[in-house]
Amino acid sequence: MEIEEDEERRRQRKLEEALEVKSLRRIISAYLNYPEAAEEDVRRYEKSFKKLPPAHKAFEPPLDMSQDVDGCKDPHLENFEHGHCHSEERNASSCQSASTSGRMCCSNHAEACPQEKSNIMSNPTTELQEVKSEQQHEPIFGSGAGEVENNNEIAECCSNDVADSNGNAFSSPHDWLDPSLQLNVPLVDVDKVRCIIRNIVRDWAAEGEKERNQCYKPILEELDAQFPNRSKESPPACLVPGAGLGRLALEISCLGFISQGNEFSYYMMICSSFILNHTETTGQWTIYPWIHSNCNSLSDNDQHRPVSIPDIHPASAGITEGFSMCGGDFVEVYNDSSQIGVWDAVVTCFFIDTAHNIIEYIEIISRILKEGGVWINFGPLLYHFADMYGQEDDMSIELSLEDVKKIAFHYGFELEKEQTIETTYTTNPRSMMQNHYHAAFWTMRKKRTTTT
């Protein structure tokens, strides 16, 4: 009987791995299809221009529409296709992406965000990210979620020996970029890549500093105040669920914490891994994050302006040993007995409203914190699954801020500080349209158990 159960678990695990590889291939294909989708946009603009009456064509267009788009190749696009990329605003009424980083903005303000569906199943997947520190000879490796097991199986799943749906093994990481493996994915998948590009500005460009100061700076200042006498020999441990592209988790590490970012979205993880592990200097790459949106532009130059990334060199930023990024669903990874009472602090930024069940999030945050541990939260309550219709197995618990705090009190938290901070999210600072959040910012502390 036990042998049959073990065999069934192995079979289920293999199925989950196959589904995950299939999902990853589709996401990588979305990145690879980005140049083609951009060229298709240009062709669409060209068609519209050609339909203008002659009198309306007298005005000089911002781009030379006479070029044969099919006959020219942009070297930057060629680099992107080979895996060497040279490289909005968020509608308050639209839904979030499935990324637990909290947000992936929409390219069209009138449309809801495309949903990202991942096949990360009940077994948590630990995506190990390597961050090379200039202060050390050996790379620093993310250790995943503390004591989460099956790292060897995960390594096998994510290593060079992963096979495609036909059983063909990939001999090297570059095989993922083989054009023969590129899938034709829906434009909605490519839109997520465009959203990631705008998230890059928020986390890794000088142009995103204003938003980072609105969101990250209060968190960092509060963490610094809560742990004034941090020990270099035994630094406090801080978890950042929904870490997105990793900047906040890195900044917390630079403060002298053992910092672990947790992220569910492969779109986010691929990009954060690239920036954290492959950056050699500041301003190494140039992107054009606003070029895909023709709405609310003050000028052509504003729309076409380049942005240099990253604004800092991650490996030279002064990270604390133990900095890591863990891939997987927050509930699946951290609702584990090995995580009970592990963390001195949990920081959630634009995260708690990504839950199917926000009560479960709060319960897990309380469980994984040490007694006397601190929960710092920043963000709105734009519930991710609020507008999901027709999926019977989905749930969405949508509480008011008042009720969220009551739930937190029920799970042993005491409110120490609270304020409202106005902020934006991946907003083009030069756009005529600016969406603003009045974000809740609080510090709560887990009560200590009283002993008699």
Side-chain angles (χ1 to χ4, degrees), residues 282-332:
T282 59
Q284 186 171 352
W285 300 285
T286 300
I287 59 174
Y288 297 83
W290 319 115
I291 200 168
H292 298 292
S293 176
N294 295 329
C295 300
N296 295 306
S297 295
L298 290 172
S299 71
D300 298 331
N301 287 337
D302 281 348
Q303 182 185 6
H304 302 156
R305 71 186 185 276
V307 173
S308 296
I309 61 163
D311 63 319
I312 63 169
H313 181 216
S316 304
I319 58 178
T320 301
E321 184 175 359
F323 172 60
S324 61
M325 293 287 285
C326 172
D329 176 73
F330 172 69
V331 172
E332 298 292 348

Side-chain angles (χ1 to χ4, degrees), residues 3-208:
I3 295 175
E4 291 179 0
E5 290 178 355
D6 289 343
E7 184 63 31
E8 176 61 24
R9 280 195 292 269
R10 282 194 293 269
R11 190 193 67 80
Q12 184 65 27
R13 177 61 178 167
K14 289 294 184 183
L15 176 61
E16 290 169 1
E17 290 176 358
L19 290 171
E20 197 161 338
V21 168
K22 182 179 179 180
S23 175
L24 183 58
R25 278 193 62 197
R26 175 171 171 170
I27 292 168
I28 291 173
S29 293
Y31 274 95
L32 296 176
N33 285 340
Y34 171 85
E36 296 173 10
E39 291 178 355
E40 183 60 35
D41 281 348
V42 173
R43 285 190 285 269
R44 179 166 56 86
Y45 304 152
E46 186 181 36
K47 285 181 181 178
S48 295
F49 178 75
K50 289 179 177 179
K51 290 179 181 179
L52 285 172
H56 293 173
K57 291 182 180 178
F59 300 97
E60 183 178 351
L63 299 174
D64 184 0
M65 307 300 284
S66 64
Q67 295 185 36
D68 181 2
V69 176
D70 294 323
C72 64
K73 270 286 185 180
D74 186 330
H76 296 298
L77 295 182
E78 290 182 13
N79 285 334
F80 191 102
E81 289 174 326
H82 288 86
H84 303 287
C85 176
H86 264 278
S87 1
E88 184 100 35
E89 296 152 9
R90 186 74 170 71
N91 190 335
S93 65
S94 60
C95 66
Q96 296 169 188
S97 78
S99 164
T100 56
S101 61
R103 304 290 181 278
M104 282 172 76
C105 49
C106 305
S107 57
N108 186 330
H109 306 310
E111 296 177 359
C113 290
Q115 295 304 306
E116 170 192 337
K117 298 193 176 183
S118 172
N119 285 310
I120 296 178
M121 298 293 206
S122 56
N123 290 322
T125 295
T126 306
E127 181 76 11
L128 304 184
Q129 289 196 357
E130 166 190 338
V131 182
K132 297 176 182 177
S133 171
E134 290 191 346
Q135 286 75 36
Q136 302 196 15
H137 297 293
E138 296 297 325
I140 297 174
F141 288 93
S143 59
E147 301 298 323
V148 174
E149 297 179 356
N150 74 338
N151 283 348
N152 291 333
E153 292 181 21
I154 291 160
E156 289 177 7
C157 175
C158 300
S159 71
N160 303 337
D161 296 328
V162 173
D164 64 16
S165 57
N166 296 319
N168 301 314
F170 303 149
S171 60
S172 74
H174 298 291
D175 284 347
W176 287 99
L177 307 177
D178 189 323
S180 65
L181 296 176
Q182 184 173 340
L183 306 174
N184 291 320
V185 296
L187 183 59
V188 68
D189 286 9
V190 181
D191 279 342
K192 295 170 192 172
V193 177
R194 295 174 178 179
C195 290
I196 291 294
I197 292 173
R198 293 191 288 274
N199 274 269
I200 294 174
V201 178
R202 172 181 168 86
D203 263 22
W204 295 105
E207 192 167 303

Side-chain angles (χ1 to χ4, degrees), residues 222 377 401-402 404-406 409 414-421 439-444:
E222 182 63 13
N377 176 73
L401 179 59
E402 180 183 21
V404 168
K405 289 186 287 186
K406 286 180 181 177
F409 300 154
E414 294 178 316
L415 183 64
E416 292 193 349
K417 297 180 182 179
E418 182 183 20
Q419 68 181 107
T420 300
I421 297 178
F441 176 51
W442 71 61
T443 300
M444 293 191 187

Side-chain angles (χ1 to χ4, degrees), residues 337-395:
S337 60
S338 67
Q339 293 295 305
I340 296 174
V342 167
W343 303 94
D344 297 286
V346 173
V347 167
T348 51
C349 183
F350 278 81
F351 172 72
I352 61 173
D353 54 356
T354 66
H356 281 283
N357 178 3
I358 191 172
I359 302 171
E360 186 176 36
Y361 270 21
I362 296 170
E363 181 184 21
I364 293 173
I365 291 170
S366 175
R367 183 183 300 135
I368 66 179
L369 274 172
K370 297 177 180 178
E371 290 187 5
V374 174
W375 175 23
I376 300 173
N377 176 73
F378 186 105
L381 293 174
L382 182 57
Y383 289 103
H384 174 98
F385 296 100
D387 298 322
M388 297 290 285
Y389 302 110
Q391 299 186 29
E392 294 182 3
D393 58 338
D394 268 347
M395 65 182 295

